[in-house]
Amino acid sequence: MIPVEEARERILRALSPTAEEVVPLPAAWGRVLARPVVARLRQPPQDVSAMDGYAVRAADAVAGARLRVVGTAPAGHPFAGRIGPGEAVRLFTGAFVPAGADAVVIQEDTTAEGEDSVLIREPARPGRHVRRAGLDFATGETLLEPGRRLTARDVGLAAAANHPWLTVHRQPRIGILATGDEIFLPGEPLPTGGIVSSNSHALSAVVRAAGGDPLLLPIAPDDTHAIAAAAMAARHCDLLLTTGGASVGDHDLIQAALGPHGFALDFWKIAMRPGKPLIWGRLGDTPVLGLPGNPVSTMVCAVLFLLPALARLAGLPAGPPPLDIALAGTDLAANDRRLDHLRARTGRDASGRLVATPFPTQDSSMMATLARAEALIVRPAHAPAVPAGAPIEVILLERLGI
């Protein structure tokens, strides 16, 4: 058995980001930027008014002064002339500040006297209520760096920088193959001995949450030819996930099925709980990650290995899931030689500190317990017993988006 950290590093070393593609701006949300976004203009393009009011020369706009209104400039309709001594131009928010003006007096500090005169009740200051040209960004400035998942704010910034298209990484295409004579789709009639397939649907959701494009393959029975045929059909994918058939029983057939078709095994068996029987290798050019059949083992392996792999394929920084510190909600026994991940509820103590309490039963088949869990308590190999209230490391599942 190899350590979790070594297994993850070997997986990540074998993967590269997907190719670039150009998408229209409305389709860019959630995609991973592959090329920098550089401003094609400055923003604002000229000095603009931050408020409704009057563009003035600050030297003229003293309290009690009456200025001659020589024009009106709504946003998008700049005043064509220049403000001279004793003059003002009626402005609205976002309008260009006319040449000759160096301040804006907001309308609440003025009194209009007809259409061509305004009384200044509060003095102006140079630059007051004026957004200077280039205040937000300058032409040629790099606004967004590659390797970030684009948020709604990023999309808005790219639009403001005059980009109708963005270059992003193609969404990783992930084939998902569930195996086993006993597996049936949700809603199908279940024969005696049959169980509903949950792993492939959970993994599909993980892939979508990470920005990938899942391809659910038909369930393959415990037959090497059927498994091989399904796997070969997914060789165009960026990664093939299998679930089930990764252990040591007579019906654990992933390696036996793919071996004759050029499958090259990198490693098998991880020093962790749950999820020891994990396969990593390559079927031709297609990386293959073989996950255990137990549902909880599958999802824990997805947290530790699949999510980092998806990040690498998507062009994001990839590494272990983030760890947080919590207090143990109960006494924890000493651990054995395998890194353990205990499903746990979380809460806060009277001081507001995070507390994680493991469920009393940690069987790797219990999906209901996993669905109720808010964290995985990480227990290193050979960790000593921990009393209630002691600090422990946890993986908060909500932070992972799954």
Side-chain angles (χ1 to χ4, degrees):
M1 294 188 295
I2 66 173
V4 167
E5 294 79 6
E6 180 184 343
R8 183 167 44 236
E9 182 56 34
R10 283 162 72 167
I11 290 172
L12 294 179
R13 278 202 308 264
L15 299 175
S16 300
T18 58
E20 299 175 0
E21 65 179 5
V22 178
V23 297
L25 192 60
W29 176 85
R31 303 296 296 273
V32 177
L33 194 63
R35 302 240 174 154
V37 173
V38 178
R40 293 177 167 176
L41 42 69
R42 65 179 180 178
Q43 180 66 21
Q46 293 189 37
D47 293 353
V48 299
S49 177
M51 304 287 285
D52 291 351
Y54 294 85
V56 299
R57 299 185 345 151
D60 298 335
V62 297
R66 284 180 170 79
L67 304 180
R68 186 165 64 94
V69 178
V70 296
T72 299
H77 300 277
F79 179 71
R82 182 180 184 88
I83 290 182
E87 294 179 340
V89 169
R90 180 78 166 104
L91 291 184
F92 299 89
T93 303
F96 285 1
V97 175
D102 60 1
V104 172
V105 180
I106 61 174
Q107 63 185 21
E108 293 86 349
D109 292 339
T110 66
T111 299
E113 297 180 335
E115 295 184 357
D116 57 1
S117 180
V118 61
L119 171 66
I120 305 298
R121 293 188 283 105
E122 294 289 337
R125 299 197 310 270
R128 181 66 169 163
H129 302 307
V130 175
R131 295 182 178 132
R132 295 298 184 190
L135 173 68
D136 197 358
F137 51 80
T139 304
E141 181 179 345
T142 298
L143 302 177
L144 298 170
E145 296 283 359
R148 64 182 287 143
R149 194 176 297 283
L150 293 167
T151 66
R153 290 166 288 129
D154 295 333
V155 172
L157 177 58
N162 203 25
H163 285 268
W165 304 82
L166 294 179
T167 302
V168 298
H169 286 285
R170 180 177 52 77
Q171 290 179 288
R173 190 79 185 275
I174 310 299
I176 302 173
L177 173 61
T179 67
D181 288 341
E182 76 280 20
I183 303 298
F184 293 85
L185 291 173
E188 286 186 325
L190 282 180
T192 302
I195 59 173
V196 177
S197 173
S198 62
N199 288 350
S200 55
H201 299 281
L203 290 171
S204 177
V206 170
V207 170
R208 289 192 185 280
D213 181 16
L215 172 65
L216 275 174
L217 299 165
I219 295 171
D222 285 331
D223 176 86
T224 56
H225 298 293
I227 293 172
M232 297 297 285
R235 290 184 66 173
H236 65 286
C237 291
D238 299 298
L239 175 67
L240 172 61
L241 291 177
T242 66
T243 175
S247 189
V248 295
D250 291 339
H251 294 280
D252 295 324
L253 304 175
I254 294 298
Q255 296 186 66
L258 302 187
H261 299 274
F263 176 71
L265 177 67
D266 186 334
F267 62 79
W268 174 48
K269 293 186 181 180
I270 311 297
M272 61 177 283
R273 181 190 306 107
K276 180 178 74 170
L278 181 136
I279 294 171
W280 174 249
R282 190 172 288 272
L283 181 62
D285 294 331
T286 307
V288 178
L289 181 61
L291 303 177
N294 280 326
V296 175
S297 300
T298 295
M299 290 301 289
V300 171
C301 286
V303 168
L304 298 180
F305 305 110
L306 177 57
L307 286 177
L310 290 169
R312 174 59 52 84
L313 289 169
L316 292 167
L323 295 175
D324 286 88
I325 300 298
L327 302 181
T330 188
D331 295 343
L332 301 178
N335 194 24
D336 61 15
R337 62 178 181 150
R338 287 198 283 165
L339 178 68
D340 203 355
H341 300 84
L342 307 175
R343 280 71 72 200
R345 288 189 179 278
T346 61
R348 299 282 173 178
D349 67 8
S351 300
R353 295 174 296 182
L354 182 67
V355 177
T357 305
F359 290 95
T361 304
Q362 293 286 321
D363 190 278
S364 60
S365 67
M366 297 175 65
M367 278 295 286
T369 298
L370 180 65
R372 289 192 292 268
E374 291 139 339
L376 299 176
I377 296 175
V378 180
R379 298 286 287 141
H382 307 294
V386 170
I392 54 174
E393 291 184 326
V394 298
I395 298 170
L396 296 177
L397 297 177
E398 185 176 281
R399 288 187 63 183
L400 304 179
I402 62 169

